[in-house]
Amino acid sequence: MNQRNYQRELDKILAGLAQKEQVPVLFLHSCCAPCSSYVLEYLSKYFQITVFYYNPNIYPREEYEKRVQEQKRFIRELPAEYPISFMEGEFDDSRFYECTRGMEKEPEGGARCLKCYRLRLEETARLAAVQKADFFASTLTISPLKNAGAINEIGEALALEYGVSWLPSDFKKKNGFKRSGELSREYGLYRQNYCGCVFSKRPGEPNNA
């Protein structure tokens, strides 16, 4: 079976929007400012974007607040063709611990992470529907250490459930991950050395950011 090329699917959607001269609304889940950097530079040429910062997995609270402020700063400083706004979700870490209970010893990138992806993407899909957005998406696929196929599958399932179109992506393609590093240095963004949750902070765990 051929593996799907999500970047090619995204290219096709963007080409269609350009031909129709449409500027749809994108409700974009962001995990952090560095991961959002290339995605916002890239997609703000095609969409009016609301960056939705919903990451109840992040530990500790001080780390969460630091990442929120960096996200806001980057949005303020990035030149964008179309408007980029910011919405912060509720920081209720009990939701993360509840949905991953029993998976504390799972390795990074395993079943616990899939549960976490779904938790964050479902809230994104729910609010995208409330906001009447045309599409929803996530910056999560920019990381080479995250499973883009699984993230897209979750997004597509939630699109059917909530009635909002999922924007397919594999943002690491087309040198997206490399560009995110360049933008992080250019804007002096804080780059965390762990994905976010207390389990990813354990000694010996790979950096899954």
Side-chain angles (χ1 to χ4, degrees):
M1 180 182 294
N2 291 330
Q3 187 174 5
R4 284 175 63 180
N5 187 321
Y6 293 103
Q7 178 61 52
R8 187 176 299 157
E9 293 179 26
L10 175 58
D11 286 340
K12 186 175 180 180
I13 291 170
L14 297 181
L17 294 176
Q19 287 181 349
K20 295 178 182 178
E21 298 184 348
Q22 293 178 328
V23 186
V25 174
L26 172 64
F27 202 71
L28 177 69
H29 166 262
S30 176
C31 53
C32 62
C35 286
S36 76
S37 59
Y38 163 74
V39 179
L40 291 175
E41 180 186 63
Y42 178 31
L43 294 184
S44 62
K45 301 170 186 175
Y46 302 94
F47 298 94
Q48 295 182 48
I49 300 174
T50 294
V51 172
F52 180 49
Y53 195 86
Y54 179 65
N55 299 291
N57 56 308
I58 296 177
Y59 171 89
R61 181 63 183 257
E62 293 77 15
E63 175 73 15
Y64 170 85
E65 296 294 348
K66 189 171 186 176
R67 297 189 193 191
V68 168
Q69 294 309 314
E70 280 295 86
Q71 182 69 80
K72 290 180 178 179
R73 178 173 72 85
F74 181 71
I75 291 170
R76 288 195 304 269
E77 295 181 5
L78 178 71
E81 185 169 345
Y82 297 112
I84 301 174
S85 58
F86 177 83
M87 180 185 294
E88 183 178 355
E90 181 182 6
F91 182 77
D92 180 1
D93 57 0
S94 66
R95 293 193 64 189
F96 168 72
Y97 292 116
E98 181 180 349
C99 84
T100 59
R101 186 179 294 120
M103 300 181 177
E104 293 84 359
K105 295 184 179 180
E106 285 283 324
E108 277 293 280
R112 185 184 64 245
C113 292
L114 295 180
K115 284 281 190 179
C116 182
Y117 300 158
R118 184 177 178 89
L119 170 68
R120 291 184 280 171
L121 290 177
E122 182 159 15
E123 185 67 359
T124 305
R126 185 184 73 82
L127 283 176
V130 171
Q131 297 289 318
K132 301 187 186 306
D134 298 294
F135 295 88
F136 74 105
S138 176
T139 63
L140 287 167
T141 65
I142 199 166
S143 171
L145 296 174
K146 287 185 169 63
N147 187 331
I151 293 165
N152 278 283
E153 288 174 7
I154 292 168
E156 289 173 343
L158 291 169
L160 294 175
E161 186 174 344
Y162 287 92
V164 183
S165 295
W166 167 254
L167 191 70
S169 70
D170 193 352
F171 291 123
K172 71 180 78 57
K173 298 292 182 66
K174 298 178 73 171
N175 289 318
F177 181 70
K178 178 182 177 183
R179 179 60 180 156
S180 72
E182 294 170 351
L183 287 165
S184 294
R185 290 187 290 274
E186 180 181 339
Y187 285 87
L189 296 176
Y190 164 64
R191 298 189 73 182
Q192 62 277 2
N193 61 6
Y194 67 106
C195 180
C197 76
V198 66
F199 309 114
S200 66
K201 204 175 191 316
R202 292 183 298 209
E205 288 288 359
N207 175 11
N208 198 31

